[in-house]
Amino acid sequence: MLQPFDDTYFMKKALQEAEVAFEKGEIPVGAVIVIDNKVIARGHNLTEMLVDVTAHAEMQAITAASNFLGGKYLKDCTLYVTLEPCQMCAGALYWSQISTVVYGARDLERGCINMNTKLHPKTVVRGGVMEAEASELLKRFFIQKRNLN
């Protein structure tokens, strides 16, 4: 029988996506969606490249997972994202009926938990997975950005 991977394994995959965003000059947030221990979708921020404020990592991953599954509901799926989802992404996650959301770093200014945005009642949320690594990447990005301007 296939052994389940732990949250750290899949959060490392999300951090790889965040690194891709960093290299593109995007805010380094990455996401993967998993079902049955298999990554079915990946995404990272593309707001600058696509000139689209809605092109967050979670939105990219939700679209890719829906396309993979052939439907709009992501029941039995888990989203791993390096930063706590914002209200917009939380709304999309609500409508997708995703089963589980696992995030790395908290977003105390715009995060859905701090703003008391509700996810689907059946969605389980776990935070703080590889929080230090996710936070460090974001800090490094903004320090670099400030030094370039």
Side-chain angles (χ1 to χ4, degrees):
M1 182 173 152
L2 182 66
Q3 291 296 318
F5 293 104
D6 66 1
D7 287 343
T8 303
Y9 176 85
F10 291 113
M11 188 60 75
K12 285 179 183 176
K13 302 287 185 195
L15 280 164
Q16 290 171 350
E17 288 296 316
E19 289 282 355
V20 172
F22 186 103
E23 291 167 10
K24 293 178 178 179
E26 300 277 356
I27 295 174
V29 177
V32 297
I33 295 179
V34 175
I35 190 168
D36 296 331
N37 253 355
K38 180 182 175 192
V39 174
I40 61 166
R42 300 172 182 274
H44 54 269
N45 276 0
L46 290 172
T47 60
E48 300 299 325
M49 182 180 286
L50 297 178
V51 193
D52 180 356
V53 296
T54 69
H56 289 195
E58 299 96 323
M59 303 296 273
Q60 302 301 311
I62 289 167
T63 300
S66 294
N67 288 336
F68 179 87
L69 295 172
K72 62 184 178 179
Y73 296 118
L74 303 180
K75 296 176 181 178
D76 302 320
C77 292
T78 300
L79 167 75
Y80 291 88
V81 61
T82 58
L83 183 64
E84 174 187 341
C86 70
Q87 288 189 66
M88 174 187 69
C89 293
L93 291 164
Y94 177 96
W95 292 113
S96 77
Q97 298 182 24
I98 197 155
S99 295
T100 307
V101 173
V102 179
Y103 66 86
R106 290 284 315 267
D107 184 347
L108 296 176
E109 289 184 33
R110 293 178 184 84
C112 65
I113 293 167
N114 195 50
M115 299 184 107
N116 206 24
T117 303
K118 301 291 184 212
L119 292 170
H120 194 273
K122 293 182 180 177
T123 300
V124 174
V125 179
R126 293 190 299 274
V129 176
M130 299 189 72
E131 181 175 11
E133 294 85 344
S135 294
E136 187 279 327
L137 184 58
L138 286 160
K139 288 175 189 168
R140 189 165 36 107
F141 174 81
F142 285 110
I143 288 169
Q144 179 180 308
K145 192 108 171 129
R146 274 186 230 109
N147 289 338
L148 291 176
N149 292 330

